[in-house]
Amino acid sequence: MRPHAGDAVGSGGHNDGAGLQTAAGQRGGALVMSGTVQRGTFTLQADLVAAPGEVLAVLGPNGAGKSTLLRALSGLDALSSGSIALGRLIMDDAATDTFVPTARRPVGLVFQNYRLFPHLDVRDNVAYAPRVQGAGRRAARAAADKWLQRLDLTCLATRRPHEISGGQAQKVALARALAAEPALLLLDEPLSALDARTRLDVRAQLRGHLDQFAGPVLIITHDPLEAMIMADRLLVIENGRVVQQGTPAQVAARPATQYVARLVGLNLYRGTLDPATGIVHLTGGGTLSVTYKVEDLPAVTGAGSSMIQVLVGLRPSAITIHTAPPAGASPRNIWKGTITALEQLTDRVRIQVDATPPALVDVTTSAVADLGLRPGIGVWLSAKATETEAYPDPGNQAMPAVQSWQPADQPGPAHDGHRPAA
């Protein structure tokens, strides 16, 4: 019987040694998932591919499904439909009732709070991973010593978790995950437990260690800066669905949802573009004169189609704010609104304007004083068409299908187990 969400960890099978050897023999290759997970009333539907050596950051708001994805990949929850493969190893396939339980998956997991054993010293915490896989005490400690040395932790080997810092604990947790020689590495909010100063140092070190890992890496995070710096690609989940994926530069340049736009600091508007005039009629009211790439149009138009569903991105710093109607201004986009809030950022002030369309505007602190900007006053906004970018709205198109990744010299997938009967 297949394990279900809410079953005890490891339900559906046990670590019998032979299964571990089979899994070890299938190590290596890309992670490919296409399936759904049902947890109560929540459903996650995810298609993703992570190539060997690639770092994929999974972003999303609270409740989006990031933790559900992590549980499915690690074997804590079974798929309701679809499959998960790691190279030749089929870890979960609902159609064939195949399921590799957590203890037999070649997966290293770094928990958000690290979960080090308080009664063990650093060396034995790291040695725990190979011990679970069946290694003897001497071999496990030898493996632990290797990773302690590689991560510059040898001097901490005899200390207990309460005697080391948060940054050191994060590195110990990573060493423990790597000591199991996994083919896939999962990191759950790896820096969230650290203070701001420590986070900067550990982030750079962690990225360096991940660069040396040969398998795919998934980082679950809510921090856009962490994702942008550490990942080769981003995958964004909202409401249990993958809404966007691409390189950090691609996602930042063309956000697909308001959530992503806010992460990267853009105003984002949905509307219909008239290519003949370059004007977008916005869904929430108002219009914008925009620029767009002609090569984008065939992807969303069809034979005889004249109006195109698009998203329009506009940087807050590209909008000028005025306390009177701008006279003789060259921008083609001018509209009126009311300031509702001001927020001090590091080197600027972000102003929220209720208008049609609404906008976030970035100005200097001196501009706030010079113009007397405050909540409740009326203002005019202006933006050049050349500062905008209109592009196809992926919400009106099917998300690209997952493409399998398989080297030419690698045979087809192999199964490693079946979900045990009740």
Side-chain angles (χ1 to χ4, degrees), residues 205-229:
Q205 296 173 16
L206 179 58
R207 177 67 223 215
H209 295 313
L210 296 182
D211 284 341
Q212 300 175 35
F213 183 68
V217 178
L218 261 72
I219 300 177
I220 306 295
T221 182
H222 68 279
D223 185 339
L225 180 60
E226 181 179 312
M228 295 285 180
I229 292 176

Side-chain angles (χ1 to χ4, degrees), residues 304-324:
S305 177
S306 59
M307 303 297 281
I308 305 165
Q309 299 298 314
V310 296
L311 296 174
V312 180
L314 178 60
R315 291 176 292 107
S317 59
I319 301 176
T320 303
I321 194 166
H322 314 262
T323 54

Side-chain angles (χ1 to χ4, degrees), residues 15 29 46 63 79 110 171 219 223 243 249 282 319 344 385 400:
N15 183 358
L79 294 179
V110 178
K171 292 174 67 177
I219 300 177
D223 185 339
V243 296
L282 303 177
I319 301 176
Q344 179 69 56

Side-chain angles (χ1 to χ4, degrees), residues 318-352:
I319 301 176
T320 303
I321 194 166
H322 314 262
T323 54
S330 59
R332 296 179 61 186
N333 298 303
I334 298 175
W335 67 106
K336 187 177 181 180
T338 302
I339 294 178
T340 58
L342 294 87
E343 178 185 7
Q344 179 69 56
L345 303 180
T346 52
D347 59 346
R348 62 197 186 281
V349 176
R350 176 155 292 177
I351 301 175
Q352 183 174 321

Side-chain angles (χ1 to χ4, degrees), residues 64-315:
K66 303 186 300 296
S67 295
T68 301
L69 174 64
L70 187 75
R71 290 179 64 87
L73 294 174
S74 60
L76 297 178
D77 284 339
L79 294 179
S80 304
S81 65
S83 64
I84 301 173
L86 182 58
R88 296 181 56 220
L89 173 64
I90 302 298
M91 298 195 298
D92 195 342
D93 190 334
T96 61
D97 201 34
T98 301
F99 182 79
V100 179
T102 301
R104 291 168 52 194
R105 294 192 181 193
V107 177
L109 178 59
V110 178
F111 295 97
Q112 182 175 350
N113 58 0
Y114 312 139
R115 297 192 185 180
L116 301 180
F117 298 113
H119 62 289
L120 299 179
D121 61 23
V122 165
R123 187 189 194 193
D124 283 340
N125 261 283
V126 177
Y128 175 80
R131 285 282 285 169
V132 167
Q133 292 185 321
R137 181 183 297 272
R138 181 176 299 179
R141 286 189 167 181
D145 289 341
K146 179 185 73 171
W147 284 106
L148 291 177
Q149 182 178 10
R150 290 183 65 174
L151 273 67
D152 297 322
L153 294 170
T154 303
C155 61
L156 305 178
T158 60
R159 295 189 190 181
R160 298 289 177 90
H162 71 275
E163 298 175 315
I164 62 178
S165 68
Q168 292 168 336
Q170 194 275 342
K171 292 174 67 177
V172 173
L174 177 62
R176 182 173 62 184
L178 293 172
E181 302 292 342
L184 167 66
L185 194 57
L186 306 176
L187 293 85
D188 184 14
E189 302 280 4
L191 305 180
S192 63
L194 306 178
D195 60 71
R197 176 174 295 182
T198 304
R199 188 178 298 122
L200 289 175
D201 295 335
V202 175
R203 179 188 293 143
Q205 296 173 16
L206 179 58
R207 177 67 223 215
H209 295 313
L210 296 182
D211 284 341
Q212 300 175 35
F213 183 68
V217 178
L218 261 72
I219 300 177
I220 306 295
T221 182
H222 68 279
D223 185 339
L225 180 60
E226 181 179 312
M228 295 285 180
I229 292 176
M230 296 184 61
D232 301 307
R233 282 195 308 118
L234 308 180
L235 183 138
V236 184
I237 299 177
E238 294 183 46
N239 299 316
R241 300 292 184 272
V242 176
V243 296
Q244 189 168 12
Q245 50 186 310
T247 66
Q250 290 169 338
V251 172
R254 293 189 167 192
T257 68
Q258 286 292 346
Y259 168 77
V260 181
R262 288 292 185 263
L263 288 182
V264 300
L266 281 180
N267 291 292
L268 186 68
Y269 307 107
R270 178 172 276 109
T272 305
L273 169 66
D274 181 352
T277 63
I279 293 177
V280 174
H281 299 269
L282 303 177
T283 301
T287 61
L288 284 175
S289 293
V290 301
T291 57
Y292 58 89
K293 296 180 179 179
V294 175
E295 56 266 29
D296 283 339
L297 301 187
V300 290
T301 59
S305 177
S306 59
M307 303 297 281
I308 305 165
Q309 299 298 314
V310 296
L311 296 174
V312 180
L314 178 60
R315 291 176 292 107

